[in-house]
Amino acid sequence: MRKFHTLRLLLGDQLDIQHQWFKQTSDDVCYVLAQLRQETDYALHHIQKVCAFFSAMEQFAGQLQNKGHHVRYLTLNDTNADASLDALIIRLCREHQVKRFEYQQPDEYRLHKQLQALELQGHIEINCVDTQHFLLPMPEIPQHFAAGKSVRMEHFYRKMRKRFDILMEDGKPVGGKWNYDQQNRQRLKQKDLDAIPAPLEFSHDVSSILQLLHDHEVNTIGQSTDSINLPVTRAEAIELLSYFCAHCLEHFGTFQDAMTANSPYHWSLYHSRLSFALNIKLISPAETIDTVLKYYAAGQSTIGIAQVEGFIRQILGWREYMRGVYWANMPDYQSFNHFEANHELPGFFWDAHTRMNCMHHAIAQSLDYAYAHHIQRLMITGNFCLLAGISPDQVDHWYLGIYADAIEWVQLPNTRGMSQYADGGIIASKPYASSGNYINKMSDYCNDCHYRVREKVGDSACPFNALYWNFIHQHSELLKNNQRMSMIYRSWEKMNSEDREQIINKAQQLIEDLENL
Ligand code: FAD
Ligand code: SF4
C-alpha cells in the first residue's frame, strides 16, 4: 500500500467541495470515503436514503479524484471486515503508515463522541477541523443556547438577521416586519391546483448500490427504485435551487403549510426539496440565502418579501436554531419524555394502511419518496403520535429512518422537541397539537376520508378530535398554566361533563385500538 503522511476522513454528510481542505492537492494526503455497516444499521433507513448517500459519496470521490486528490472510496464489500468506523480508521492508518489523521467536526453527537474517543497507535496525531458549513460557528453555540433553557426561535432568528445583515435596511427589517406569517400559510383552493409546478426530479441509476445492499442483507424500508430523484452532486443541488427560485419561491410562503391529495405534485408543492443537498453539504446555507436574495432583487415585482422572508427564516432561523438546541442539550435531549408517552407506534407507519386519509397520504408519500414537507411531518404524523402518546423513542426511530434528509442533529430536535414536546418546551412555547379542524383547514384530505372531521364521538368520528381533547385533559397538570393554552382549557371546561366523558371514553377506545384506525 502506498504511504501517505495524512489520512483525511470524509463522512457521508461532509461532501463540501468548497471546504478549505480541497483548495490544494497534495501527494501527502489521502481522503477516505467509506460505505459502512455502522452507518447503514444505526437506524432503519429508507432504501432511497441509503442509495442517495452512497451515490453522492461515490460522485464526490470521483470529483476529488478528477481534481487530482488521492482518494480511497470503499464499498460495503471493502469494509465488510471492519466492525466499526474506528476499526476502519485504525486499519487504514496502518496500511498507509500515516503520521496524522484528520476529520471534520461531525454534525452528530454519536460520531463526535466516537471520533473523540479514537485512539491510534504509533504517535499518530489526530486533528479535527470545522466543516465551515453553518452560519453560526460551533464555538459560538453556547453564547445563544444552554442546556435545558428555552430559547425562542424568533429571538435567535432576529439576531441572525442582524448579525449577517440579511433582509435588513438601516438596522430595521426590510419591509418593516420581521415576520410575514399572517400573509403566508394559506390553503390551496381548487383553482390553485393546476398551477402547482412539476418538481425537478433527477434520475440516478442506483442498481449497483441496490445489488450491494441486497448482497449484504442491509435492512431498509420504503419504496425501492432503480433510479433516485434526489440531487447527488453540487451541480444538481445548484440546479434545484435555481429551479426553486424560478418556479416555487413566488408562492413558497403562501402555500408553505398547505396539503392536498388532488395534484400529481401533491408531495412536492412549492417546497424546495433542498434539505438533503443542504444536510450533506453539497450547497451551503449562505449561498442558498444569497441566491434567493439575488432572485428577489432581480424580480421584485413577482416575488414578494413575504415569500422571501418565509424561506430565509427556514434556513437562517430554524435550521441553525435546531442545530444550536441539539448541541446545547445532547446527550440528555435524546431521552426527554415530558409526557411519559409509552405507546407503541402503530404498524401502519410502515405500510400506510390506515383509513385516516391524512395519515395515509403523509405516510405513503414518505414511503414512496423518502420525503414529506414540514406540515405533513409536524401536523399529521407528528401530531398523531403526540395525541396518541407514542413513545418518543419509537417516533424518533421512524423519523430518523424514513426521510432522506434525516440526520440526528436536525431530526431529533424537530421530532422529540418541536413535534412531541418531549423536551417540555425548550423549543416550542406550547405543544403543536391539533384536532381534525386544523387538518381540514389546511388540506383537502378530509373530503375523501373514511372518518368525519366534524364528529368527535361515534364510529365514524375523526380520531384526531377525541385524541386531541383527551390529550388536553390528560396533560392538564403540565399544560394548564401555560398562558398560550388558556383558551383551549376554557373551551374544554365549558363543555358539559357528559360530552367530556364521552370524548375521553372514545379516546381510550382509539388508543386501545390504534392498529385498526
Ligand atoms: P422547505 O420547506 O423548502 O424549507 C427550506 C429549508 O429550510 C429546508 O430544506 C431545511 O433545510 C430548512 N428547514 C425548514 N424547516 C426546518 C426545521 N424545522 N428545521 C431545520 N431546518 C428546516 N429537516 C431535516 O433536514 N431533517 C430531518 O430529519 C427533519 N426531520 C423533521 C421531523 C419533524 C417531526 C419535523 C416537524 C420537521 C423535520 N425537519 C427535518 C424539518 C423540515 O420538515 C424539513 O427540513 C423540510 O420539510 C425539508 O423539505 P424542503 O427541503 O422541501 O424544505
Ligand atoms: Fe385526517 Fe380526520 Fe380529516 Fe380523516 S377526517 S383526513 S382522519 S383529519
Side-chain angles (χ1 to χ4, degrees):
M1 279 285 174
R2 198 194 139 145
K3 271 193 190 177
F4 285 104
H5 178 273
T6 302
L7 185 78
R8 284 178 171 169
L9 173 73
L10 286 165
L11 297 169
D13 64 348
Q14 296 178 337
L15 309 183
D16 176 8
I17 199 72
Q18 317 230 75
H19 192 274
Q20 62 163 15
W21 268 1
F22 312 120
K23 298 274 183 259
Q24 287 173 342
T25 57
S26 165
D27 281 341
D28 291 333
V29 178
C30 178
Y31 291 95
V32 60
L33 290 105
Q35 301 177 355
L36 271 176
R37 283 313 291 262
Q38 171 186 312
E39 296 308 295
T40 56
D41 296 357
Y42 78 89
L44 184 56
H45 300 290
H46 197 297
I47 193 154
Q48 292 176 33
K49 175 185 183 186
V50 184
C51 288
F53 265 88
F54 284 2
S55 177
M57 286 161 68
E58 198 177 323
Q59 297 272 352
F60 193 76
Q63 198 182 357
L64 287 182
Q65 265 158 350
N66 290 341
K67 288 183 109 204
H69 297 283
H70 295 278
V71 182
R72 278 193 78 180
Y73 183 70
L74 305 173
T75 68
L76 288 179
N77 292 337
D78 306 315
T79 62
N80 205 18
D82 300 302
S84 63
L85 178 61
D86 322 21
L88 171 73
I89 295 165
I90 291 167
R91 170 165 76 84
L92 294 177
C93 286
R94 198 177 49 237
E95 282 176 8
H96 296 292
Q97 299 175 46
V98 306
K99 300 273 177 277
R100 191 200 303 218
F101 168 69
E102 297 193 329
Y103 63 96
Q104 296 182 12
Q105 169 66 47
D107 289 340
E108 281 173 288
Y109 185 83
R110 75 188 167 92
L111 288 166
H112 163 69
K113 280 288 165 200
Q114 189 176 10
L115 288 170
Q116 212 180 32
L118 181 70
E119 284 182 13
L120 296 173
Q121 303 288 313
H123 309 292
I124 298 173
E125 200 186 319
I126 301 181
N127 187 27
C128 171
V129 303
D130 192 69
T131 58
Q132 304 168 348
H133 173 80
F134 292 96
L135 287 149
L136 189 69
M138 187 77 149
E140 290 185 35
I141 288 179
Q143 293 169 26
H144 298 268
F145 302 92
K149 290 258 156 57
S150 75
V151 175
R152 292 293 160 240
M153 202 298 282
E154 188 63 32
H155 295 152
F156 171 76
Y157 168 63
R158 291 182 189 186
K159 283 191 202 160
M160 294 288 276
R161 287 266 297 270
K162 287 185 201 153
R163 157 138 185 217
F164 293 97
D165 196 20
I166 292 171
L167 289 178
M168 298 298 295
E169 216 167 39
D170 302 327
K172 301 221 167 69
V174 168
K177 282 178 16 178
W178 291 101
N179 186 320
Y180 292 85
D181 275 356
Q182 292 299 331
Q183 277 157 262
N184 287 338
R185 309 189 158 184
Q186 291 174 28
R187 179 194 167 98
L188 282 158
K189 302 197 183 82
Q190 189 62 35
K191 67 175 176 47
D192 302 317
L193 296 179
D194 290 341
I196 297 171
L200 174 63
E201 295 189 71
F202 300 97
S203 166
H204 294 283
D205 180 359
V206 289
S207 44
S208 58
I209 299 175
L210 289 175
Q211 186 60 51
L212 208 58
L213 298 179
H214 177 263
D215 293 348
H216 287 268
E217 297 176 359
V218 173
N219 261 340
T220 55
I221 49 167
Q223 178 67 39
S224 178
T225 148
D226 279 349
S227 163
I228 52 164
N229 67 4
L230 288 154
V232 297
T233 64
R234 176 167 165 77
E236 287 175 350
I238 290 171
E239 196 186 338
L240 187 59
L241 174 58
S242 300
Y243 188 88
F244 168 75
C245 291
H247 301 281
C248 307
L249 181 58
E250 195 178 343
H251 298 299
F252 173 81
T254 313
F255 297 124
Q256 192 176 349
D257 290 2
M259 295 168 283
T260 180
N262 294 313
S263 157
Y265 315 127
H266 61 93
W267 63 278
S268 50
L269 302 178
Y270 290 92
H271 293 275
S272 70
R273 294 165 49 240
L274 280 165
S275 49
F276 174 72
L278 275 164
N279 293 355
I280 64 168
K281 307 184 180 59
L282 295 177
I283 46 167
S284 72
E287 65 186 322
T288 305
I289 292 171
D290 246 33
T291 308
V292 166
L293 288 175
K294 279 188 191 130
Y295 256 86
Y296 175 50
Q300 290 236 8
S301 55
T302 53
I303 302 175
I305 178 74
Q307 312 303 317
V308 175
E309 189 283 315
F311 184 75
I312 286 177
R313 165 184 296 268
Q314 308 305 317
I315 310 270
L316 179 68
W318 281 110
R319 189 168 185 268
E320 298 279 327
Y321 169 83
M322 288 300 185
R323 171 174 170 261
V325 169
Y326 176 77
W327 281 103
N329 287 285
M330 282 299 279
D332 295 350
Y333 208 88
Q334 63 197 349
S335 50
F336 287 155
N337 188 356
H338 189 61
F339 296 127
E340 297 179 7
N342 59 9
H343 293 137
E344 295 278 315
L345 190 78
F348 56 73
F349 272 80
W350 307 103
D351 60 17
H353 291 157
T354 165
R355 288 172 295 180
M356 293 179 285
N357 200 32
C358 53
M359 290 289 283
H360 167 73
H361 277 282
I363 297 169
Q365 85 158 65
S366 305
L367 291 166
D368 286 349
Y369 297 100
Y371 176 83
H373 72 70
H374 188 68
I375 290 303
Q376 292 175 307
R377 298 187 203 196
L378 184 66
M379 299 311 293
I380 305 288
T381 43
N383 184 24
F384 179 84
C385 291
L386 174 70
L387 302 183
I390 309 297
S391 143
D393 287 349
Q394 295 198 14
V395 183
D396 275 336
H397 178 69
W398 187 79
Y399 279 97
L400 186 58
I402 198 153
Y403 295 116
D405 58 30
I407 305 181
E408 194 192 68
W409 69 268
V410 55
Q411 172 274 324
L412 187 71
N414 267 297
T415 305
R416 199 169 273 255
M418 191 180 205
S419 87
Q420 300 304 292
Y421 201 79
D423 64 4
I426 291 177
I427 288 179
S429 55
K430 70 179 181 70
Y432 282 93
S434 89
S435 66
N437 255 347
Y438 173 85
I439 297 170
N440 193 31
K441 194 173 121 204
M442 294 314 300
S443 79
D444 50 28
Y445 293 144
C446 302
N447 302 345
D448 299 314
C449 186
H450 166 85
Y451 297 105
R452 299 277 158 268
V453 70
R454 309 230 176 272
E455 294 173 19
K456 293 192 187 69
V457 291
D459 286 348
S460 55
C462 165
F464 279 86
N465 293 339
L467 289 175
Y468 172 75
W469 286 113
N470 181 60
F471 169 85
I472 295 298
H473 165 72
Q474 195 187 353
H475 299 300
S476 65
E477 282 307 308
L478 292 171
L479 297 173
K480 72 176 176 220
N481 294 329
N482 180 332
Q483 282 203 335
R484 297 201 60 208
M485 302 288 290
S486 54
M487 245 174 60
I488 294 160
Y489 276 99
R490 276 204 297 279
S491 304
W492 175 240
E493 276 146 25
K494 260 196 234 153
M495 275 186 221
N496 74 50
S497 55
E498 211 172 289
D499 287 351
R500 282 193 292 187
E501 203 181 313
Q502 277 187 12
I503 290 171
I504 292 165
N505 288 341
K506 169 76 186 173
Q508 289 317 318
Q509 284 165 19
L510 291 169
I511 286 168
E512 277 160 29
D513 202 24
L514 287 179
E515 289 295 343
N516 294 314
L517 292 181

